[in-house]
Amino acid sequence: MPRMRLIPMLTMAAVATIGSVGPASALDIRTDHPRLYATASDFAALKAEFPTNLLPANYGTVVVTLKPGARDKTRDLQDAIVFGNWEDSSSHLFIRHIDGWDTAGTIGYQVGFKTGPTTWVVGERVDLRRGETASIKMHYNGPDKFLSITVTGGTLQSNGGTSRSLPGTGWAPDPAKPQKFYFVSRVNEEVVDIKVLDGENREKWSGANLDWTLQAAHYRFIDYATKTAAIIQACSLVVPTSNSSSVCNVATGNRAVVTQAGADMGLAYQLTGESKFGQAAQHYVKLIGTVPVESNGEWSMGARVGALALIYDWLYAYLPDADKSDIRRTIIDTVRKDITGTNSDHMDLIGMACGNQIGLKPSTATIECASTADISRFYISGHNGSANHATALGLLAIADGETKAMVMPMIDTLHRHQAFKVGDRAYGFLPTREYISQDGGHHSLFAYGSGGELLQRVRMWNTVQPTGTDALINEHTKFAPKLIKPYIYALRKGYSEDASAWDGTFPPTGDYFDTRVTDSTVGYMALGAANAGDGVSTAFHKDYVQRGRSRLNAQALWERLYFPGTRAPAQPNNLPLAAHFAVAGNVFMRDTWLYDEAVLLDFKSTSFASENHQHLDQNSFSLFYKAPLLVDSGWYDAYYSSHWENYNRRTIAHNTIVVYDPLEKFERSGTTFSNDGGQWYKGYAYPTLDEVKPGGTNALDGVTVFEDTPSYAYTSGNASKAYKSGVAEKLHHVDGFRRNIIYLRQDGGKKPIIVVHDRINSPKKLPATSLLHSVTRPETFGSQIHTGTAGIYSVNGSRNAPLRIRNGDGMVTVDPVLPRQATIRVVGGTAAEGHACEPQVRDVEKTTEDRYDCRFNVRQPDGTWANYPPRDQTDASEDRSDIGNWRIEIEGAPGWQYQNFMNVLRVEPNDHGTGVPEVAASQHLPSSDFSVDAVALDASQSVAFATKFGPADKVRFDPLDPKASVLVAGLVPNAYFSYSPIPGSEEYAVVQESGPGTGRYLSSPKGVLKIPAR
């Protein structure tokens, strides 16, 4: 994935010294190994989950009772083992599936006794009836040379019966070399019990309480680790590989590959004690030793240090002293390496820990910052968190004996970066995250905003201490159980015959890489909450995280190691249907907790601006129902790519408002970017905690109102400060752009109707444009005529006619109610439309030219249009199914300072047709004093928004039916209002009254008045 941006030196000079990390008292580190993430007792507890040495020495019986199930081709292993081990070096027995033996009515199993990997004593095919409780019994009598196989609920192929006896056939377990036991089965198969009986038919062991998910993960992990060990052993120490995904690429590889390889070898050794994993780890240490310590900067330096740390700590008992010495030396040399050059402090580990141009003290006796460490600009985002963690892993692993005194000063600095206090105010990575994620939200959800890695880091700092707990760190992670909440709210589920790639994903906001509910980080957050007593998170983990994984996924093993506590009992999801995460500005609205049927709207208006992984997307939203309907457009291909700089992170790629000013320039660090008419960065690119709080240089207004009731959810965001301000500002910096959204839940099984209302204040009287992005081409009743500018189409026919978007099994109809007489354009397309989009502004060496790609059209600095395509996809696993291929542009007339927009979104199941209504179902309701923008959704319900910037005490409009229900937003909260006709007018007035009375209605605490049908 792309890296963070580097920060100019002058920016760093502005950091307040209040965030500096000074001297700290030394930590108390436990003296035994392992201690990183897990202790010896943690590994022992995990190892105890996997049965060994189950079979009686000479006489025994194994009875497996199960309900056979069909193979899920996407989630089950091929020819999955049920019990035992298919290939073992000594005497072993097993029961496994043979997928090719399954029929319409039966499931085929192979039952076998063997004395070596390929030496058979007997093998038998068993066919059991699908879905019916059945059993397979395997009996052996070694001294008397007797074997038997008996089944219920099926037949044996050898004789067509239910039993087969083999007198004179000898087999018995080898007590000197017990076989391995694995339990995998199939996801759709229920193994009721496994019993092992001795020669007297007494139960020796029962598998009735086996955790089959954990057991399958164990099998998968050992298999994967064995293959990885072989790959590592084959890695050349002379000819390095450049394949970024190869475990052999330690020169430029990342943590997900290099550090994980060290962890895999360490865990495999802890579970098995087999030397092949230790030998592979030793070879990996040698491989890392062939690479210059500074290779590829902190990105790979941290990855290598992390791998060495886990090998050192988790294989401590295995490694000879010489190898330990080599590891210590390499870790120290890597951490101490000071890379010189421009922005060099952000290219090595010591700069990531000490800060701008600070470096280390010259003494080789300690690893210690030359002066007070200061990285306060990177507590919100950036690589410093991961780099510091990698450094901490390395130094904590080797903090023994003589080395301890050398590394402790830097360990103390790294620990203090996690949390420290200046007076009564807390700073550091955790207090900063505590402020932003106080309710679980994050400004760069859903890929980079995850908290799973944070939970791992917290666990490490706890396990390295003799008490097993770190009081200061734990004091500032009380928010951690809430981190899973946005993921519970925003999970997307939806299938169609030709596209299901989005199933189990999340809205692709911010710098987004493919993130799924089955990912490790989502599992960690869910279990962190479950262990803290949240039963909804327990159920979410079981029903969506765990159930969505295949038997190829070993993640349950890591989860048990890192989160071994007792989970709260699963409970039904009783959360409200909408949620607001305050500082981060995330709002999620849905109509049901049945994920497959939910209409999900996610709205974002963050309370601060920053650059790293956060887009210029304030007051934007997306919409999902069975498929992506309105989407964040663009692709996170790389930092600094032409696509990322000029389109993906920019306002033009989001469902929000742009205001094109030909005189405006979007410049940074001497470079001028596309003029999309959108938002721009405010304050510092990497702000401190104080700078993002209200009143700080980077503060925005964000979400100003949120309310959820059974019948509606309502939110309002003010993004005015997200646009440039100045002498001739295109949008007023206080009252420039306020967006209101009402999510109106419907009765009778109907899907919700969503009303989006925007109030624009442009002192320069520039026309604003409302954007709606889609995967598929928006359909219109009138024809779409190419304007002559590539990729831009005008819509013929009546003004404000509806548009319809179909995708997968979902559909949304857009009624553009305001502005009246709007200019509507459809923009985008590819070769199918036959219009070349030139120029194509691309990264030539990394982007294949496609002159017909018009999906990412935006004005260049000179005002001409150009397409900015993303770089070629290098990872086939990355999903681009909702990248956004089209956008709707709705624009008002020029010359108006105040401009109001209103779009009504009607969500339905896809009718899989081609028709679009000629006339919108929504009807604008006029207001003579323009005090309200109102719309009749149908004959029975209307919605209105007060146009006054502050709470309104009276509005008036002409209702379609005075007896219809009305929802009015933007009024004085907690006040009584009357709703009555205005004499001599067809209009009705909503007027604040002094108190309750007949015909008066109480507004909500958020200023929404609900007038029921009369």
Side-chain angles (χ1 to χ4, degrees), residues 255-478:
R255 289 172 291 138
V257 177
V258 178
T259 302
Q260 189 60 48
D264 289 339
M265 295 304 98
L267 179 57
Y269 179 78
Q270 285 286 337
L271 292 177
T272 67
E274 294 182 14
S275 60
K276 63 184 177 184
F277 300 116
Q279 292 166 1
Q282 288 176 291
H283 189 78
Y284 212 49
V285 171
K286 293 178 182 177
L287 181 66
I288 291 173
T290 66
V291 175
V293 294
E294 71 273 18
S295 180
N296 204 39
E298 59 83 18
W299 181 254
S300 298
M301 293 168 76
R304 293 189 293 271
V305 166
L308 293 173
L310 292 172
I311 290 172
Y312 186 95
D313 187 56
W314 290 5
L315 288 100
Y316 190 85
Y318 173 85
L319 294 172
D321 290 342
D323 284 359
K324 293 175 188 173
S325 177
D326 289 343
I327 293 174
R328 288 194 297 269
R329 182 174 59 253
T330 303
I331 289 175
I332 291 169
D333 289 349
T334 305
V335 171
R336 292 189 65 91
K337 182 63 179 179
D338 190 355
I339 301 174
T340 59
T342 304
N343 285 323
S344 60
D345 286 320
H346 302 282
M347 290 303 296
D348 55 49
L349 296 177
I350 210 63
M352 288 283 177
C354 294
N356 183 43
Q357 297 181 330
I358 291 176
L360 292 176
K361 289 184 177 180
S363 171
T364 59
T366 60
I367 302 178
E368 188 172 2
C369 297
S371 60
T372 302
D374 188 352
I375 59 169
S376 55
R377 287 215 176 278
F378 302 102
Y379 289 147
I380 290 179
S381 58
H383 281 196
N384 296 67
S386 58
N388 279 206
H389 183 64
T391 304
L393 279 173
L395 299 184
L396 286 166
I398 63 174
D400 299 310
E402 296 178 356
T403 308
K404 185 173 183 179
M406 175 190 293
V407 302
M408 282 308 302
M410 182 54 65
I411 289 175
D412 288 335
T413 295
L414 297 169
H415 181 257
R416 192 164 164 79
H417 278 317
Q418 307 308 306
F420 66 97
K421 289 187 175 181
V422 177
D424 61 350
R425 304 177 71 177
Y427 295 90
F429 288 114
L430 294 176
T432 302
R433 184 64 185 264
E434 183 179 29
Y435 171 73
I436 295 171
S437 298
Q438 55 191 260
D439 45 19
H442 197 269
H443 58 285
S444 60
L445 290 174
F446 280 90
Y448 283 101
S450 158
E453 191 172 11
L454 177 147
L455 296 178
Q456 283 182 277
R457 296 172 187 175
V458 169
R459 178 168 174 80
M460 182 208 70
W461 285 110
N462 279 284
T463 60
V464 298
Q465 301 196 40
T467 60
T469 185
D470 188 309
L472 182 61
I473 281 180
N474 293 339
E475 176 186 347
H476 292 288
T477 53
K478 294 176 182 178

Side-chain angles (χ1 to χ4, degrees), residues 125-279:
R125 171 174 172 173
V126 174
D127 296 308
L128 301 181
R129 292 187 288 275
R130 287 176 181 248
E132 298 182 14
T133 301
S135 67
I136 301 173
K137 180 192 290 186
M138 305 174 69
H139 174 71
Y140 61 90
N141 181 331
D144 296 332
K145 294 187 177 181
F146 179 82
L147 298 175
S148 67
I149 301 172
T150 305
V151 302
T152 63
T155 58
L156 305 174
Q157 186 196 48
S158 60
N159 58 22
T162 60
S163 181
R164 178 183 177 188
S165 298
L166 293 100
T169 305
W171 183 92
D174 184 350
K177 201 172 184 182
Q179 78 164 89
K180 298 172 185 175
F181 289 91
Y182 298 109
F183 308 84
V184 180
S185 187
R186 290 174 172 174
V187 294
N188 295 318
E189 181 170 76
E190 179 187 357
V191 180
V192 179
D193 194 9
I194 300 175
K195 292 186 182 299
V196 177
L197 310 175
D198 63 14
E200 303 297 326
N201 272 342
R202 294 174 299 197
E203 184 177 302
K204 180 183 178 184
W205 179 82
S206 171
N209 296 319
L210 276 180
D211 182 336
W212 282 84
T213 299
L214 180 63
Q215 297 297 326
H218 174 242
Y219 173 83
R220 171 57 179 159
F221 173 74
I222 296 300
D223 179 65
Y224 172 80
T226 298
K227 294 173 180 175
T228 301
I231 294 172
I232 289 174
Q233 290 281 37
C235 292
S236 172
L237 300 179
V238 179
V239 183
T241 178
S242 59
N243 182 349
S244 61
S245 62
S246 171
V247 71
C248 298
N249 182 9
V250 295
T252 62
N254 59 34
R255 289 172 291 138
V257 177
V258 178
T259 302
Q260 189 60 48
D264 289 339
M265 295 304 98
L267 179 57
Y269 179 78
Q270 285 286 337
L271 292 177
T272 67
E274 294 182 14
S275 60
K276 63 184 177 184
F277 300 116
Q279 292 166 1

Side-chain angles (χ1 to χ4, degrees), residues 510-572:
D511 283 344
Y512 182 85
F513 52 85
D514 203 24
T515 303
R516 298 183 175 272
V517 70
T518 53
D519 289 353
S520 61
T521 187
V522 181
Y524 292 165
M525 289 186 290
L527 288 181
N531 286 358
D534 183 7
V536 172
S537 295
T538 302
F540 183 76
H541 182 271
K542 177 183 177 183
D543 296 338
Y544 298 101
V545 179
Q546 185 171 290
R547 188 167 294 169
R549 291 171 175 165
S550 74
R551 286 292 203 253
L552 295 171
N553 192 310
Q555 195 54 46
L557 195 68
W558 295 101
E559 290 177 349
R560 185 62 60 90
L561 179 65
Y562 294 151
F563 300 92
T566 302
R567 303 174 192 176
Q571 67 180 55

Side-chain angles (χ1 to χ4, degrees), residues 713-760:
Y714 167 58
T715 192
S716 181
N718 187 348
S720 305
K721 292 182 176 67
Y723 296 79
K724 280 187 179 182
S725 60
V727 177
E729 53 192 13
K730 65 181 182 184
L731 290 182
H732 192 277
H733 66 280
V734 174
D735 183 21
F737 172 26
R738 181 181 64 183
R739 168 162 283 181
N740 306 294
I741 297 178
I742 284 182
Y743 183 106
L744 200 57
R745 302 182 181 101
Q746 303 293 293
D747 296 327
K750 296 180 180 178
K751 304 316 291 180
I753 298 175
I754 299 158
V755 188
V756 182
H757 176 259
D758 300 321
R759 183 184 186 277
I760 307 300

Side-chain angles (χ1 to χ4, degrees), residues 927-933 945-948 952 954-957 969:
S927 169
S928 61
D929 64 355
F930 306 104
S931 60
V932 70
D933 287 331
F945 298 91
T947 56
K948 182 180 177 182
K954 58 184 177 181
V955 298
R956 60 189 291 169
F957 65 96

Side-chain angles (χ1 to χ4, degrees), residues 781-783 795-799 801:
F781 182 86
S783 57
V795 178
N796 272 1
S798 60
R799 295 294 185 98

